[in-house]
Amino acid sequence: MTHSPRSARRLATALVSVGLAAIMASGTVIAGTPVTNGYRDHTYAGGAFRPTADKGQSKLWYTSDGQWWAGMFRYTASPAVSENRIWKLTADKTGWLLSATVVDARDASHGDYLWDEASDTLYVASVGPIPDTTPTTTIADGIRIFKYAYSAGVYTPAATYPKTVPNTNSAAGSSGGAATVTIAKDSTGDLWVVWPKNGQVRYSRSEDDGDTWSAPAQLPTQVGNSIKQSPIDNDNDTAVVVAFGAGSADQIGIAWSDHDEQPTVGDNGYYFSALDAGADPTVEANWTPVTEPLPTTLTSGLGERADNHINIKATSDGSLYMVGKTGADTANCATNKQRSLIEVFERTPGGTWSAHLAGTVGDCNTRAQILISEQLDTAYLFLTSPNGGGAVYTKSAPLNGTDAFDFRGAADQTVQRGIPFIRSATETLIDDPSTTKQVVTNSSGITVIANNVRSVAQTTGKYFFHNVMNLPSNDATPPSGSVSINGGAAMTSSTTVSVAVPATDTGGSGMSLVRLSNAADMSGSTTYVYTTPISWTLPAGDGNKTVYAEWRDAAGNWSATSSDSINLNTTDTVAPTVPGTPTHRFLGSGRYGFPVRLDWAASTDAIGPVTYKIQLSLNGAAFADFATSPTNGYSLDLSHSSFTYRFRVAACDAVQCSAYRTGPAFTTKSYSESNVATKYSGTWSLYSSSVYAGGKARLTGTAGRSASLTFVGNQVAWLSRTGTTFGSARVYIDGTLVKTVSLYSTSPVDRKLAYVKTWTTAGTHTIRIVVVGTAGHPRVTHDQFYVIR
């Protein structure tokens, strides 16, 4: 359980940076900043602390047009304003529009928002925190009720509101306020608020649509079994109210936690009692007997069997779905990882409860919220992990069928926090997810808000966050995915491998689970909340091993089986031999780059074939990965610019690599047909065409005309073009005829290495090409001279 200093809720309004102090007028759109998952929104500060809390409350609602709204703080430093306002989600769902409607100007308050679609009315129950010390004067920290009529996007406060529930303000010698409060409306139109106070589950009812409220009373069925009270709000027990029923909210239910260890530890747990709408709540017999949703079968040996975490939702058939925390978490969730921590409880319309595992201590989930899609027959959970804040994750499961309530697979030692939903690389203490009381649909989708938790002393950098999720009206299409073991490697020497299992859910309900097996029939499989990659153990014994995977979406559709194989060889403990020193030479025609071939002596390996890893140092920089090759050679196109290259090569089998062998450094230089260093005798016409390197070349058919270059290097190449109209040219090196080259070919060849010369060491040399003037096809093209030094 996270304990937060009470003083944080009394934090005085402080000046912040100019950027955070900008005045936000009503109608202002505050654009969200994309983070790793979701959006970072506007700031909160002043006395506000954890403004999207508490667990049983809902800060969001959506209207019949599918528009999402939220109750969030508006904060400015100058003028000093810190108050709850109504905000509208923008059309692109990436930010919020500030409305003119103030809900509660008490910046340390926390409210619960109830949208009544039948009357287009918004109700809010809001309360201030419990005083730190016994009051000596009256403090306006009691439960306030706000009511707004909604029309055409405008919320109009009801006259004479807000109302204050009697006897909930602090007075001299009497502590008011509460750790939390929730609100519900039953089918008779009665409004109910419920809150924990002084070891009691208290309620108040309004029979006139919120105008007057009854004096607070203890829930009759809770009398005699106290709940925990503490001067620290977050360490109190909690209580929530929900209206439910088949077709109409003809019942009021109250759920509460008890972890005060009174009269015994075995007395701790979650409890529930219900009343028919319109019945007298002061008569204990009108309430259903207290039931305990938390069976000991899931929590045997845990001692404390409840924490003050409750979020509850109702569906149209009269069912209730509640998510709670067992309080079994250990320090940093480091031990007892397999114990049940987060559980989802279902209450059937007949009143029968069942409990289902949603998270273990190893998952370190907390402050869970539950949403129901009746269209998809699916439950979605939104949970923080780890304790104290981190990111908001989601888990999901169908409500019926063979996979009903399977949110994470077995209670094993693996950490399965969920699928990231709101996460930031820079704000790493995101907590307190909140959403709507309503059933979600394809029209609404899902919206969740959260806040980041900052220390007491910090008044800047406090943000709201949100993310959205679209939903379909139905989903019968399974996900599809692929499997890759160790990045597609052919061999491994370890039975522990990394299995990548990326998948997509085209049906739209969202990814939920993935399961892996070493058997084609998926026997012995292990199920995880969808994530990739997954550390997996292959069966012992050398040989070919196959890993199989299947994926499930939130609606319960399982995919077909996919697989990947790898050769397990635990005896391969020797790396391949070091390859020979890489050499470089001109090789290749028809390429636009500087055509070079690397070669090296092959390596050997005792077990199997090797591949070669090539690294490059460019202009003296550090070596970096450049390419891989299945053979002991590699052809590449280098830049026409003057760069210095140095390559090194290692041989790798499926398990390990040899040391690198480094080749000599060399510099490339190209001389185009128009380079001033190239000398021509006679006229060589200039032609432009994409068939030439650089787009241009020189051409002549007159015998005796020449092109020459004096250079420093140890390799030189002449680049030309061949075809049916081309003839021969004599090549002279340092004044000596070395070769007569024919450029004739029946099919054209562009950018051909017509002649290449290599020396052992670099020196000053001259290459000269002289046109022969071949009868009928005399042309000779000069495209480039290439030099390596």
Side-chain angles (χ1 to χ4, degrees), residues 1-18:
M1 182 189 322
T2 303
H3 294 243
S4 301
R6 287 294 310 282
S7 57
R9 302 181 72 129
R10 301 291 187 269
L11 194 61
T13 302
L15 290 178
V16 295
S17 67
V18 174

Side-chain angles (χ1 to χ4, degrees), residues 512-529:
S512 182
L513 301 180
V514 57
R515 60 188 177 199
L516 300 185
S517 175
N518 290 317
D521 62 0
M522 299 303 293
S523 59
S525 64
T526 300
T527 303
Y528 307 87
V529 175

Side-chain angles (χ1 to χ4, degrees), residues 294-318:
L294 187 63
T296 57
T297 53
L298 282 184
T299 57
S300 177
L302 292 184
E304 183 178 70
R305 295 192 293 126
D307 204 346
N308 62 349
H309 294 230
I310 295 177
N311 190 258
I312 193 167
K313 302 294 165 61
T315 53
S316 61
D317 66 349

Side-chain angles (χ1 to χ4, degrees), residues 64-227:
S64 58
D65 54 1
Q67 174 63 54
W68 279 90
W69 304 84
M72 295 185 288
F73 274 97
R74 172 212 183 194
Y75 173 76
T76 65
S78 180
V81 175
S82 182
E83 62 192 8
N84 278 294
R85 284 278 193 103
I86 292 177
W87 298 72
K88 177 181 180 180
L89 188 66
T90 57
D92 63 3
K93 300 182 180 180
T94 65
W96 296 92
L97 175 71
L98 175 65
S99 80
T101 306
V102 177
V103 178
D104 196 332
R106 299 176 297 177
D107 64 359
S109 63
H110 287 78
D112 187 38
Y113 292 71
L114 171 66
W115 171 249
D116 181 26
E117 187 170 335
S119 62
D120 281 340
T121 302
L122 175 69
Y123 302 92
V124 184
S126 183
V127 67
I130 302 170
D132 294 312
T133 58
T134 301
T136 59
T137 60
T138 299
I139 303 173
D141 55 4
I143 297 171
R144 293 180 181 177
I145 309 300
F146 300 81
K147 184 168 73 171
Y148 304 88
Y150 175 76
S151 178
V154 176
Y155 291 86
T156 303
T160 73
Y161 276 75
K163 305 293 185 180
T164 299
V165 175
N167 305 322
T168 57
N169 282 327
S170 292
S174 175
S175 174
T180 188
V181 65
T182 56
I183 185 170
K185 186 176 185 179
D186 67 28
S187 58
T188 68
D190 289 355
L191 289 167
W192 295 77
V193 290
V194 168
W195 67 101
K197 185 71 175 178
N198 295 339
Q200 299 178 356
V201 175
R202 295 185 178 179
Y203 72 89
S204 176
R205 181 175 66 161
S206 172
E207 299 179 79
D208 53 9
D209 201 29
D211 289 347
T212 59
W213 289 84
S214 64
Q218 184 179 11
L219 176 67
T221 50
Q222 187 256 330
V223 173
N225 185 5
S226 65
I227 61 174

